Amino acid sequence: REAKTTPGADAAAKIKFGEPAVKTNAGFTTIDLEATNGDTAVHSFTVQIAFLKGDELVGLANGAVNDLEAVQTKTAKLAAVGAIPAYDKMIVNVDTLVK
């Protein structure tokens, strides 16, 4: 409880994301997102993107990346329920670090 961070938080901070490619088709939104593991260990994790219009949350997308090797890059496939309305900001983060 006195630690400033946890091993999971340290590992998650070493995962970097590229620019999301958002596509909406027939009312369904998918996002391709490159994830690069800057750590020395293999990681599996879920990733989430929050879409904001001003300070209001207007949509969420979720996906997973499995067995991302050290210094490897993979494209994560995320999905949102329905179409994402107009937004002006995205926040991308590791939601859950599985390993």
Side-chain angles (χ1 to χ4, degrees):
R1 83 174 188 205
E2 310 232 350
K4 294 183 191 281
T5 187
T6 66
D10 288 340
K14 294 177 184 173
I15 297 168
K16 303 299 178 197
F17 297 104
E19 189 65 31
V22 180
K23 298 175 234 154
T24 301
N25 186 14
F28 186 72
T29 302
T30 59
I31 299 100
D32 290 342
L33 177 67
E34 286 193 348
T36 302
N37 183 0
D39 200 3
T40 58
V42 177
H43 293 297
S44 294
F45 53 92
T46 60
V47 59
Q48 182 177 72
I49 300 177
F51 295 87
L52 303 168
K53 180 73 173 175
D55 290 334
E56 182 181 347
L57 178 67
V58 295
L60 288 172
N62 297 286
V65 177
N66 293 310
D67 300 318
L68 184 59
E69 299 282 340
V71 300
Q72 181 183 22
T73 298
K74 282 187 178 181
T75 301
K77 304 285 186 181
L78 289 79
V81 176
I84 301 292
Y87 60 91
D88 52 28
K89 182 179 179 182
M90 291 182 278
I91 300 173
V92 181
N93 68 291
V94 172
D95 185 45
T96 303
L97 188 70
V98 179
K99 72 173 180 177

